[in-house]
């Protein structure tokens, strides 16, 4: 085993034993070290030293009845650290003599009463230290035993019972109308099973929620817990798998035993792919612990034992890696795909997350939903949260469209790199590159609408062009894909025509264009090779997506695929060149506006195309002003070094 040792737990386990060793050494020191130099004196020896004046320190403590005293002290004839301790019979005459000698010889004398005369003092002196020692030792050992007992519970289920705290209901789940209907049927069965049993219907034993990350699978399961008036257990797939073989299977058995005691009930397993992967795959064989856990889960869900009243809901974003036995009827009977929301679903999701946000008058959630195709529910929630954070940072009382635009850019591309200084030549190259994308988008409106163009660098891009489909489609036509490739090649084409030079700025455009062209040839059958599929979007479960990818065609066909891809790219590049050359004036117009304003919105682009100039500037909206106008305002306010500032830096200074 290669299990790492936790140093902190080792120290914690050794602490009680270390304490006992210190206590024993302390007792040994008290009874041995402190007493090894103590001498016993007889009565005659004591009186002889008293007469000779050798006593330098003396303490007398009465012991019991009579004239018995415990005499302790030091003599001048002994070593410095040596002392004497004796029980001596001392009469009143001897006591008087000792007191007289103390006055004459001036040695220290202390006389105390009998401690045994006080029961409380007797307990404190003789009993209490041993009681404290026993209690402390018992406390340390009890903690150690409790730790050992908890370590034996590793085979117990880690499933936790949901409470009513932060209750989520179906009202909090937007954009998943059909999915909610599927899972609400489970709640109806738990509340009124006779309605289903009357017609001989059997409720599904398991429901598998599949879909991309962030689409609301876990939220939907939480809503089921909030709507159901039955016990709801939730656990992650990784909570089953441990280092030791058999622990996961034991936890599965214990989880179902708890569920049977509380039936009817629901069990939610999040990220079931951690325990439900296909068996017998991978280079190194199987994973014994995971496979035994999966085998036990399969047996409990649909084996010889009856699990009436137990319904399992699981979530995963990798259904392709799950074992086929887990997906068969009788186990996960129903598989619900939770896809990315459409425009209506996005609007409903935005309404849910905008309840506690203060939005400006110019913001409508319907328009915002149209501008965010491909966003998941988590992306939309993050979008509004980022916009709220920006509004607070800018000391605004409400969220405006400016914060929405900036938040959208942040979600898609990351924060703006305003501190990076680019030369005028680089800015001009980026401006014409992005203007090339915009011109293609404007002239091929059947593909996409240009929503925003900017030359402000974000992430690894020097600028970007935001285009959204004019209408959301279930399927893409060959014309749509060709126009999309043409739009991707517009930036490089604009560079070639304007500067007679090419740069590395189009590498991401080429990556996307090549991927689309290859998919058209090998998957969609959109080439002269005919309606044949040569490749599939799949890979080995454990070996990686692209490792050991099977090739179901000959080398001659591979060459034909390359030729067809080149043909598609060349045709699109030729079309892009024709459009750019035909619209050189529009290209220059947009590029010059980008150099002056850095960012153009859809409204500004439409006005620019229609009127050949930018709309009139509103000094109340600083972000819509050009760099030249901002520098004039900065000069009027006496801001230093305004001529070397970027637009973002000028806005920051003017907002102060």
């Amino acid at each position: 085993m290669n299990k790492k040792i936790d140093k902190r737990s080792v120290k914690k386990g050794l602490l009680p034993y270390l304490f006992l060793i210190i206590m024993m050494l302390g007792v040994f020191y008290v009874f041995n070290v402190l007493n090894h130099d103590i001498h016993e004196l007889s009565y005659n020896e004591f009186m002889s030293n008293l007469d000779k004046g050798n006593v330098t320190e003396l303490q007398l403590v009465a012991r019991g009845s009579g004239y018995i005293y415990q005499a302790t002290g030091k003599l001048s004839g002994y070593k410095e650290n040596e002392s004497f301790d004796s029980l001596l019979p001392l009469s009143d005459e001897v006591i008087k003599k000792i007191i007289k000698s103390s006055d004459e010889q001036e040695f220290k004398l202390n006389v105390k009463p009998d401690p045994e005369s006080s029961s409380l003092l007797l307990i404190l002196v003789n009993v209490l230290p041993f009681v404290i020692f026993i209690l402390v030792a018992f406390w340390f050992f009890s903690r150690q035993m409790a730790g050992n007992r908890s370590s034996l519970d590793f085979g117990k289920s880690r499933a936790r019972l949901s409470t009513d705290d932060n209750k989520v209901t179906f009202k909090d789940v937007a954009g998943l109308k059909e999915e909610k209907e599927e899972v609400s049927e489970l709640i109806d069965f738990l509340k009124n099973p006779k309605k289903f049993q009357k017609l001989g219907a059997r409720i599904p034993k398991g429901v598998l929620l599949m879909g991309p990350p962030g689409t609301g699978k876990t939220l939907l399961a939480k809503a089921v817990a909030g709507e159901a008036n039955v016990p709801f257990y939730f656990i992650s797939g990784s909570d089953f798998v441990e280092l030791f073989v058999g622990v996961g299977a034991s936890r599965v058995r214990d989880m179902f035993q708890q569920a049977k005691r509380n039936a009817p009930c629901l069990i939610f397993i999040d990220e079931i792919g951690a325990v439900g992967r296909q068996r017998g795959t991978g280079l190194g064989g199987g994973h014994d612990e995971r496979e035994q856990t999966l085998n036990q889960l399969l047996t409990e869900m649909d084996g010889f034992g009856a699990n009436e009243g137990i319904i399992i809901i699981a979530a995963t974003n990798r259904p392709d890696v799950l074992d086929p036995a887990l997906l068969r009827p009788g186990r996960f009977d129903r598989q619900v795909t939770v896809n990315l929301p459409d425009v209506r679903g996005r609007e409903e999701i935005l309404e849910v997350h905008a309840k506690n946000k203060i939005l400006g008058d110019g913001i409508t959630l319907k328009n915002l939903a149209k501008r965010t195709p491909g966003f998941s529910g988590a992306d939309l929630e993050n979008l509004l949260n980022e916009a709220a954070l920006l509004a607070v940072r800018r000391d605004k009382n409400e969220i405006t469209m400016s914060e929405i635009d900036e938040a959208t850019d942040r979600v898609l591309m990351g924060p703006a790199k305003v501190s990076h200084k680019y030369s005028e030549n680089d800015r001009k190259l980026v401006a014409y590159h992005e203007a090339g994308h915009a011109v293609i988008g404007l002239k091929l409106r059947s593909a996409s609408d240009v929503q925003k163009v900017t030359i402000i660098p974000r992430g690894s891009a020097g600028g970007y062009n935001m285009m959204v489909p004019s209408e959301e489609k279930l399927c893409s036509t060959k014309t749509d894909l060709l126009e999309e490739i043409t739009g991707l090649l517009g930036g490089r084409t604009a560079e070639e025509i304007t500067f007679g030079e090419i740069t590395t700025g189009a590498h991401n455009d080429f990556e996307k264009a090549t991927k689309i062209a290859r998919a058209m040839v090998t998957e969609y059958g959109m080439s002269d090779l005919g309606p044949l599929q040569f490749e599939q979007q799949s890979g080995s479960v454990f070996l990686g997506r692209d490792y050991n990818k099977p090739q179901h065609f000959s080398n001659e066909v591979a060459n034909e695929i390359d030729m067809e891809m080149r043909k598609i790219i060349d045709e699109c590049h030729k079309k892009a060149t024709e459009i750019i050359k035909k619209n050189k004036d529009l290209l220059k117009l947009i590029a010059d506006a980008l150099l002056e304003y850095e960012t153009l919105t859809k409204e500004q682009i439409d006005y620019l195309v229609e009127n050949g100039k930018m709309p009139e500037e509103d000094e109340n909206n600083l972000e819509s002003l050009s760099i030249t106008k901002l520098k004039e305002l900065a000069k009027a306010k006496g801001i230093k070094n305004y001529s070397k500032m970027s637009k973002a830096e000028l806005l920051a200074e003017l907002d102060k």
Side-chain angles (χ1 to χ4, degrees):
M1 292 184 297
N2 296 323
K3 187 176 182 180
K4 295 182 179 179
I5 299 176
D6 190 353
K7 295 182 179 180
R8 189 177 299 175
S9 62
V10 172
K11 292 179 180 179
K12 186 177 179 181
L14 293 177
L15 188 61
Y17 301 102
L18 182 62
F19 177 78
L20 287 178
I21 293 174
I22 294 174
M23 292 291 293
M24 292 174 63
L25 291 176
V27 174
F28 178 78
Y29 178 78
V30 171
F31 287 100
N32 294 281
V33 177
L34 295 180
N35 295 329
H36 80 283
D37 288 334
I38 298 177
H39 296 272
E40 291 287 341
L41 293 181
S42 64
Y43 175 78
N44 293 331
E45 290 175 335
F46 172 74
M47 294 305 296
S48 174
N49 282 284
L50 182 65
D51 294 337
K52 294 178 181 179
N54 293 335
V55 178
T56 60
E57 184 179 331
L58 179 63
Q59 177 177 289
L60 298 177
V61 180
R63 294 297 184 188
S65 59
Y67 300 96
I68 303 299
Y69 289 84
Q70 183 172 5
T72 58
K74 294 183 179 181
L75 301 175
S76 59
Y78 290 167
K79 296 179 181 179
E80 182 178 355
N81 294 330
E82 292 181 332
S83 60
F84 67 88
D85 188 352
S86 301
L87 288 175
L88 304 174
L90 303 176
S91 61
D92 292 339
E93 291 78 7
V94 176
I95 296 296
K96 293 178 181 179
K97 183 178 179 180
I98 292 174
I99 295 173
K100 183 178 179 182
S101 298
S102 172
D103 295 336
E104 294 175 353
Q105 301 173 15
E106 296 182 353
F107 64 83
K108 185 178 180 181
L109 176 63
N110 188 14
V111 180
K112 293 184 177 181
D114 185 6
E116 295 181 358
S117 60
S118 174
S119 59
L120 179 61
L121 184 61
L122 178 64
I123 294 174
L124 291 176
V125 173
N126 297 314
V127 180
L128 188 60
F130 294 99
V131 173
I132 293 175
F133 175 77
I134 293 172
L135 291 177
V136 171
F138 177 77
W139 180 72
F140 272 101
F141 275 109
S142 62
R143 288 195 62 185
Q144 185 71 11
M145 293 302 295
N148 292 335
R149 285 195 299 269
S150 63
S151 64
L152 297 177
D153 294 339
F154 59 87
K156 298 295 183 181
S157 172
R158 296 292 190 268
R160 297 175 296 279
L161 185 63
S162 177
T163 61
D164 291 336
D165 300 336
N166 301 323
K167 189 175 181 180
V168 178
T169 63
F170 282 155
K171 294 180 180 179
D172 302 312
V173 182
L176 300 175
K177 182 179 179 181
E178 293 79 9
E179 291 82 354
K180 285 190 290 186
E181 290 178 357
E182 291 288 326
V183 295
S184 61
E185 196 175 83
L186 305 178
I187 300 174
D188 293 339
F189 175 81
L190 293 171
K191 291 181 178 179
N192 188 13
K194 293 183 179 179
K195 181 175 68 173
F196 295 85
Q197 295 171 354
K198 181 173 62 175
L199 296 178
R202 178 183 62 82
I203 199 69
K205 293 185 178 180
V207 176
L208 181 65
L209 304 178
M210 309 178 300
T215 50
K217 299 182 294 297
T218 303
L219 183 66
L220 185 61
K222 289 181 180 179
V224 174
E227 295 286 344
N229 294 321
V230 296
F232 185 91
Y233 293 92
F234 60 96
I235 190 173
S236 172
S238 60
D239 289 332
F240 291 110
V241 183
E242 288 286 350
L243 174 66
F244 303 103
V245 177
V247 175
S250 175
R251 290 179 179 176
V252 171
R253 287 191 296 270
D254 186 66
M255 180 181 69
F256 276 89
Q257 288 175 2
Q258 293 182 28
K260 289 176 183 177
R261 290 194 293 266
N262 295 279
C265 68
L266 291 168
I267 298 176
F268 174 59
I269 304 177
D270 197 9
E271 299 296 342
I272 195 173
V275 67
R277 285 177 175 263
Q278 295 180 20
R279 294 166 290 182
T281 55
L283 288 173
H287 187 292
D288 287 341
E289 164 62 2
R290 184 187 293 116
E291 290 187 5
Q292 287 199 21
T293 306
L294 175 59
N295 293 337
Q296 188 64 44
L297 181 62
L298 296 174
T299 303
E300 294 290 345
M301 289 187 68
D302 187 22
F304 287 101
N307 289 320
E308 294 296 334
I310 300 176
I311 299 175
I312 298 179
I313 303 176
T316 182
N317 50 30
R318 289 294 306 275
D320 56 306
V321 305
L322 296 181
D323 194 271
L326 197 62
L327 304 178
R328 75 161 176 81
R331 292 189 175 116
F332 283 107
D333 307 77
R334 184 171 297 176
Q335 300 173 19
V336 180
T337 301
V338 185
N339 284 319
L340 293 172
D342 57 7
V343 61
R344 183 177 298 178
R346 291 195 299 273
E347 184 179 354
E348 294 175 359
I349 294 172
L350 288 170
E351 289 176 355
V352 172
H353 294 300
K355 287 180 180 179
N356 60 342
K357 307 290 191 305
I358 302 176
L359 301 178
D361 296 334
I363 298 178
T364 58
L365 298 180
K366 185 176 182 179
N367 292 335
L368 184 56
K370 292 180 179 179
R371 296 181 56 182
T372 52
F375 276 50
S376 66
D379 292 331
L380 295 172
E381 191 274 336
N382 188 34
L383 171 64
L384 291 181
N385 184 63
E386 286 287 344
L389 293 175
L390 286 170
V392 173
R393 194 180 305 168
R394 296 174 179 177
D395 295 328
K396 293 186 176 181
N397 297 323
E398 60 182 11
I399 301 173
T400 64
M401 201 63 205
S402 174
E403 284 75 42
I404 294 292
D405 285 336
E406 177 64 20
T408 305
D409 295 340
R410 282 173 172 263
V411 172
L412 291 174
M413 305 292 293
K417 297 181 179 180
V418 296
S419 61
H420 286 208
K421 300 298 181 182
Y422 292 94
S423 65
E424 284 301 318
N425 186 45
D426 288 339
R427 292 183 75 247
K428 191 173 182 180
L429 280 170
V430 174
Y432 274 89
H433 181 100
E434 299 303 332
H437 288 303
V439 169
I440 300 296
L442 291 170
K443 297 304 176 181
L444 299 177
R445 286 188 176 271
S446 60
S448 299
D449 289 336
V450 180
Q451 291 289 329
K452 183 178 182 180
V453 185
T454 179
I455 59 173
I456 298 176
R458 292 178 183 271
S460 59
Y464 80 98
N465 196 313
M466 178 195 245
M467 296 185 184
V468 299
S470 54
E471 59 179 2
E472 294 188 30
K473 302 177 182 179
L474 182 62
C475 298
S476 297
T477 64
K478 182 178 180 180
T479 302
D480 293 337
L481 296 177
L482 290 174
E483 290 187 351
E484 186 174 354
I485 296 175
T486 304
L488 290 169
L489 299 177
R492 166 59 70 84
T493 305
E495 294 176 11
E496 294 173 343
I497 295 174
T498 305
F499 303 102
E501 186 63 85
I502 57 178
T503 67
T504 60
H507 71 282
N508 187 250
D509 298 331
F510 295 157
E511 180 183 351
K512 295 178 180 177
T514 305
K515 186 176 180 180
I516 296 173
R518 187 169 189 87
M520 290 176 65
V521 177
T522 61
E523 297 179 41
Y524 307 146
M526 295 179 178
S527 70
D528 293 339
L529 295 181
L532 297 174
Q533 188 178 60
F534 300 102
E535 294 178 351
Q536 296 178 350
Q537 292 291 340
S538 63
S540 299
V541 177
F542 290 100
L543 300 183
R545 192 168 296 164
D546 300 318
Y547 183 81
N548 197 25
K549 200 170 185 180
Q551 180 173 319
H552 303 294
F553 47 83
S554 64
N555 293 332
E556 289 78 9
V557 174
N559 183 58
E560 292 181 13
I561 291 174
D562 294 338
M563 295 297 293
E564 288 295 322
M565 289 174 56
R566 181 180 295 276
K567 181 180 177 182
I568 292 174
I569 298 295
D570 289 342
E571 288 179 355
C572 292
H573 182 258
K574 182 179 179 181
K575 187 174 183 179
T577 303
E578 293 176 357
I579 295 174
I580 295 294
K581 286 183 177 181
K582 189 177 180 180
N583 297 275
K584 274 189 176 183
D585 294 338
L586 179 60
L587 177 70
K588 186 177 185 303
L589 188 64
I590 296 176
D592 291 342
L594 283 173
L595 290 171
E596 187 66 20
Y597 290 84
E598 290 192 344
T599 300
L600 300 178
T601 62
K602 183 181 187 311
E603 293 76 14
Q604 290 174 325
I605 294 173
D606 292 341
Y607 189 92
L608 184 65
V609 172
E610 184 177 351
N611 300 280
K613 62 178 182 178
M614 291 292 291
E616 294 184 3
E617 299 177 349
D618 181 9
E619 293 189 3
N620 295 324
N621 185 7
L622 295 178
E623 295 183 3
S624 65
L625 300 180
S626 64
I627 296 179
T628 303
K629 188 63 177 179
L630 291 174
K631 287 182 178 180
E632 292 177 359
L633 295 176
K635 181 180 179 180
K637 286 192 173 185
I639 298 174
K640 297 180 180 180
N641 299 324
Y642 66 89
S643 60
K644 298 180 180 180
M645 293 182 181
S646 64
K647 185 175 181 179
E649 292 171 332
L650 289 169
L651 289 172
E653 290 294 329
L654 292 171
D655 283 338
K656 291 182 180 179

